[in-house]
Amino acid sequence: KQEVTQIPAALSVPEGENLVLNCSFTDSAIYNLQWFRQDPGKGLTSLLLIQSSQREQTSGRLNASLDKSSGRSTLYIAASQPGDSATYLCAFFGRAGGTSYGKLTFGQGTILTVHP
Amino acid sequence: GAVVSQHPSRVICKSGTSVKIECRSLDFQATTMFWYRQFPKKSLMLMATSNEGSKATYEQGVEKDKFLINHASLTLSTLTVTSAHPEDSSFYICSARTLAGGIYEQYFGPGTRLTVT
């Protein structure tokens, strides 16, 4: 069964720091990996989606990388701001033939707090 | 990006009653929709996968007679919590999947907070 693990579970930093959030997965049959943001009591906002053929995606201060061989994805947040405070979730979408085909498997999330 | 709406955003109901939650894809057609449940400070748990015009596929441990899912059109799926109990109180999130240019991507609704008293 696919497992998606996120480290750390929680992170509290002062404003301006560069951050690294980690996501690891056990199933190598990956179709894509998505990073989401969730504010308290709200739905999910898609941040970045990396196809299995890609190594990274960038959007503004966010950069996500994918290393299929090691089963890892990393979300970099540059120059963090208090408005970045939220829960960040990674989600694995498996390709046909794998155990996770057809549905997203979520990590437990990293709760990020950025202090002014 | 694509927009998914949910209605209602919050609902309070009495134990024993049924509640219907609607999920709509506003600017695209979704052949597949998903329903998730989220407990406080926990990640999303997939409840069922819904394909337009066919019966939903439920995840292990999810009661299909309690959580009725209908996906009658390419833009609307509904989740009905039947005979609700306090333990059904939770945050329910729907998602709709698109396939464009050979790439699957899922978009999520804003969620529905259900409280059963």
Side-chain angles (χ1 to χ4, degrees):
Chain A
K1 181 183 177 181
Q2 171 67 280
E3 291 186 2
V4 180
T5 304
Q6 289 188 246
I7 296 174
L11 187 60
S12 181
V13 299
E15 182 176 8
E17 281 203 4
N18 299 324
L19 309 173
V20 175
L21 308 182
N22 297 290
C23 174
S24 62
F25 46 92
T26 55
D27 189 349
S28 61
I30 182 171
Y31 184 87
N32 64 40
L33 188 133
Q34 233 171 321
W35 282 92
F36 295 90
R37 168 184 174 144
Q38 186 177 30
D39 292 290
K42 305 293 185 181
L44 274 65
T45 300
S46 180
L47 298 174
L48 291 164
L49 183 150
I50 310 175
Q51 298 296 324
S52 62
S53 59
Q54 299 172 325
R55 293 186 63 85
E56 66 177 353
Q57 283 285 336
T58 298
S59 176
R61 293 182 295 109
L62 305 179
N63 175 278
S65 64
L66 175 65
D67 184 339
K68 291 185 295 183
S69 61
S70 63
R72 294 182 180 180
S73 178
T74 302
L75 178 67
Y76 295 89
I77 303 176
S80 59
Q81 303 171 358
D84 295 330
S85 299
T87 296
Y88 290 80
L89 295 157
C90 70
F92 175 102
F93 187 68
R95 57 177 169 82
T99 60
S100 307
Y101 177 62
K103 56 188 177 184
L104 287 174
T105 302
F106 283 88
Q108 292 300 310
T110 294
I111 301 173
L112 173 64
T113 304
V114 181
H115 300 286
Chain B
V3 178
V4 176
S5 70
Q6 276 185 246
H7 179 80
S9 58
R10 288 180 177 272
V11 58
I12 300 173
C13 70
K14 292 186 177 180
S15 186
T17 61
S18 295
V19 174
K20 179 184 285 188
I21 303 170
E22 290 188 350
C23 176
R24 294 181 184 271
S25 56
L26 297 185
D27 49 3
F28 65 99
Q29 293 183 330
T31 55
T32 305
M33 287 187 172
F34 303 85
W35 286 95
Y36 296 84
R37 182 174 181 175
Q38 188 176 33
F39 293 100
K41 298 186 178 181
K42 298 292 184 182
S43 191
L44 277 72
M45 180 190 76
L46 179 63
M47 298 174 66
T49 301
S50 169
N51 290 298
E52 185 263 339
S54 62
K55 291 184 178 180
T57 301
Y58 290 81
E59 295 298 302
Q60 190 174 7
V62 178
E63 299 177 61
K64 62 180 181 181
D65 294 331
K66 181 166 188 61
F67 298 100
L68 301 179
I69 293 172
N70 182 278
H71 191 168
S73 78
L74 289 173
T75 60
L76 173 65
S77 177
T78 61
L79 167 68
T80 302
V81 183
T82 63
S83 186
H85 290 284
E87 57 264 32
D88 298 325
S89 299
S90 193
F91 192 55
Y92 293 88
I93 303 176
C94 75
S95 174
R97 188 168 71 192
T98 65
L99 176 60
I103 297 174
Y104 285 109
E105 190 162 359
Q106 275 186 236
Y107 298 92
F108 287 78
T112 296
R113 174 73 60 191
L114 170 64
T115 303
V116 184
T117 61

